[in-house]
Amino acid sequence: MELVHFTRLRTQAKKLASRAEDRLGFSRGFVVTLMEAYGADTSLAPVDGVSHTLAREIGELMRSADDDMASYLISTVYTAMLPETYRSQYGIFFTPPGLTSRLLDQAEAGGVDWGTARVLDPSCGGGAFLSPIAVRMHRALSGFSVEARVAHIESHLVGFEIDPFSAWMSQAFVELVLAEDLINLGRRLKPLVVVRDSLLSPESDYGTMDLVVGNPPYGKVKLEKQQRSFWQRSLHGHANLYGLFTDLAVRLAAPGGVIAYVTPTSFLGGQYFQALRKLMATHAPPYAVDFIDGREGVFEDVLQETMLTCYRKEGSADPLQTAYLSILEDGKAVAQVNGRCGLPQDGATPWILPRRKEVGVMADSARSMPYRLSDYGYKVSTGQLVWNRHKDKLFDEWFLGVVPLVWAECVDPAGSGVFTFKTTRRHAPWFLPGPKDSANLTHTSCVLLQRTTAVEQRRRLIAAEIPQDFIDNHGGAVAIENHLNMVRPIPGIKPKVSPAALSRLFNSQAVDDVYRCISGSTAVSAYELQALPLPSPHAIERLENLMEERADEAAIESYIRELYVTVRTSAAA
């Protein structure tokens, strides 16, 4: 099938929907017509079809794709046509077939028997998992009679879905993959998909499951007091939908059962997920994690790093297997298997898992390193000045009384460690502090780090020291804008490491590699920086000497990397 042609047709469908008076209704009716052309029985569709040649053209094109790819591509037509607010509210994003297949393979490797397992997808969307699971169950039950085989699948496979139309699509796709058996039986498939909000009805009336699987919705959610009390064991601050669905899976899985989820990687190190990490490490330790290579092209309009994780409820906390997935143009996933990694003793702390095979040894060493920024005598805070709250105090030209306003671009994005006070048209470089602005000023040298960086950038940690001379030469005070992190001495404690050496450490490839083993989002957070394993302060004395001797960059990089590669070296230091 010509994917370029399909993408062109889907874009046309999106434009049609954007012009419709009732975009949601038009989108659903269009997909009903599309699925009818594809071959689905639409007699039980929740809405009437929309008579349109484009819908029939796409449906007929889907006949040249295999079932998994067709269901995924049809689902992406639906999501592309939906109103953005509706799509965002219900987290309607569907899983590419390569990821689905890989996750089910990993579940099977964890002991799931498709001939006996009871399986639930609590956010089944358009059936990305239900129909492939039905195929696997059908294959495992090949020795059964047609009636017994279908009856078994009907009693062992269930999906929950909040969006009624997506629920219908899920049911329709399962019927399509079981069509031959259903034709022989002369009946429709009994309902496998229940329209319900899984989080508002978390107690299953289906019993516990051998496999809880899916791609739960993402995004922060506000909980009522009673809801927050129910989910409290996995909450720390803001609640995220996929975190709640992970907690739900632990509740619904049987002892020894498998949980297999597609989620963002932010779970691994984010502050708001520390209670969830503790819950999983204690009650359902992971046995396999796959990191997806790249963000674009994996999910439609989703630019978060994603991972596939398999857990076993009440399993042993053995080292987990990591792998790296590449998504090919045809949607298939190719895995590069890495070694095994252990979780920290305190499961609430960030899980240090290598994102690249060559970083595995460093990640192992980092897990045993006890030193953190606080041991150096530093803490992290966000730049004090929120510029859009002080627009009337920002100026393009210097005059008596103003202080430098330091923006993120003052820290060299190449990671050279150079601080340059810039005056650009984009940002006003001067701030006039008022009598109540003492909290918005900084008087001592510190290390600045950019707060937002992407996984595709050469460096995630981009740091520079703001020299004391610069501060003194501008009246003894500067304002730091809040798109920068400030690594400052802890009050009352003399730092054991100079700001210059700390900046150089942050800008090293080794520390950047270790930070990537923790961070799962574009935010360079204070929490993750303070949790970052570091060499002993004594070992940094040698770094200070190398810098004073003006050693070449290769020698400095080699020294820092050695501190992370050899556990014995770090411990001895």
Side-chain angles (χ1 to χ4, degrees), residues 379-498:
K379 65 176 184 177
V380 185
S381 59
T382 302
Q384 308 106 315
L385 191 74
V386 182
W387 71 270
N388 55 9
R389 298 178 185 173
H390 300 275
K391 292 181 180 179
D392 59 332
K393 299 178 183 178
L394 306 186
F395 297 91
D396 293 324
E397 301 293 337
W398 179 90
F399 59 88
L400 190 62
V402 296
V403 301
L405 174 52
V406 177
W407 298 82
E409 61 255 34
C410 296
V411 177
D412 180 13
S416 68
V418 175
F419 169 82
T420 305
F421 181 55
K422 296 182 178 180
T423 56
T424 66
R425 293 182 180 180
R426 183 182 175 191
H427 292 138
W430 303 102
F431 171 66
L432 180 64
K436 297 182 179 180
D437 281 318
S438 59
N440 289 321
L441 300 178
T442 295
H443 304 279
T444 58
S445 173
C446 61
V447 177
L448 305 177
L449 287 100
Q450 294 190 7
R451 279 185 64 201
T452 303
T453 57
V455 65
E456 294 85 3
Q457 289 182 233
R458 190 174 68 89
R459 288 279 194 272
R460 289 295 318 277
L461 297 182
I462 301 173
E465 175 196 9
I466 180 169
Q468 188 65 48
D469 287 349
F470 175 83
I471 298 174
D472 294 341
N473 291 339
H474 288 86
V478 297
I480 310 295
E481 202 270 332
N482 79 329
H483 283 84
L484 285 166
N485 281 311
M486 306 168 59
V487 184
R488 300 188 290 175
I490 299 172
I493 296 179
K494 183 179 180 181
K496 298 178 181 178
V497 173
S498 71

Side-chain angles (χ1 to χ4, degrees), residues 79 396 549:
T79 58
D396 293 324
E549 296 165 2

Side-chain angles (χ1 to χ4, degrees), residues 12-33 47-52 54-55 78 81-83 165:
Q12 293 178 30
K14 183 176 181 179
K15 290 179 180 178
L16 280 175
S18 67
R19 295 195 291 265
E21 185 175 346
D22 176 10
R23 181 167 181 172
L24 180 60
F26 179 86
S27 301
R28 289 173 168 174
F30 185 95
V31 172
V32 169
T33 302
V47 295
D48 294 330
V50 173
S51 178
H52 203 289
L54 179 61
Y78 178 51
M81 296 179 73
L82 284 175
F165 192 77

Side-chain angles (χ1 to χ4, degrees), residues 121-144:
D121 183 342
S123 56
C124 64
F129 288 96
L130 292 187
S131 54
I133 290 171
V135 170
R136 293 183 184 223
M137 287 182 167
H138 187 278
R139 189 182 305 125
L141 301 168
S142 60
F144 285 46

Side-chain angles (χ1 to χ4, degrees), residues 72-274:
Y72 169 65
L73 294 177
I74 292 172
S75 297
T76 67
V77 173
Y78 178 51
T79 58
M81 296 179 73
L82 284 175
E84 291 184 9
T85 53
Y86 185 87
R87 181 182 183 184
S88 177
Q89 179 183 357
Y90 291 103
I92 303 176
F93 299 93
F94 298 125
T95 313
L99 299 188
T100 299
S101 179
R102 170 66 180 180
L103 191 60
L104 296 182
D105 287 346
Q106 291 289 69
E108 187 173 331
V112 172
D113 182 346
W114 304 113
T116 60
R118 289 174 49 78
V119 182
L120 166 68
D121 183 342
S123 56
C124 64
F129 288 96
L130 292 187
S131 54
I133 290 171
V135 170
R136 293 183 184 223
M137 287 182 167
H138 187 278
R139 189 182 305 125
L141 301 168
S142 60
F144 285 46
S145 68
V146 173
E147 184 174 354
R149 184 164 56 232
V150 172
H152 180 96
I153 294 173
E154 289 173 329
S155 64
H156 285 71
L157 181 61
V158 63
F160 300 156
E161 174 54 41
I162 194 172
D163 176 51
F165 192 77
S166 294
W168 171 78
M169 290 175 64
S170 287
Q171 180 80 16
F173 283 127
V174 176
E175 284 194 333
L176 279 168
V177 299
L178 299 177
E180 184 176 344
D181 279 1
L182 295 173
I183 290 171
N184 289 332
L185 292 175
R187 69 173 178 85
R188 301 292 296 266
L189 187 70
K190 291 180 181 179
L192 303 180
V193 183
V194 181
V195 178
R196 67 191 281 180
D197 184 335
S198 296
L199 299 181
L200 291 180
S201 304
E203 301 299 338
S204 173
D205 44 4
Y206 292 82
T208 56
M209 297 288 167
D210 301 300
L211 172 63
V212 182
V213 66
N215 178 9
Y218 313 156
K220 292 180 182 179
V221 60
K222 186 175 181 180
L223 299 178
E224 300 297 332
K225 184 176 181 181
Q226 185 176 0
Q227 288 179 291
R228 190 166 188 88
S229 176
F230 182 86
W231 300 106
Q232 188 59 49
R233 69 177 188 173
S234 61
L235 295 178
H236 182 92
H238 297 302
N240 191 295
L241 283 170
Y242 83 83
L244 300 179
F245 271 92
T246 305
D247 185 342
L248 176 68
V250 178
R251 298 170 188 268
L252 299 182
V258 170
I259 299 164
Y261 266 3
V262 183
T263 67
T265 56
S266 52
F267 157 74
L268 295 175
Q271 180 177 13
Y272 295 129
F273 294 101
Q274 56 185 282

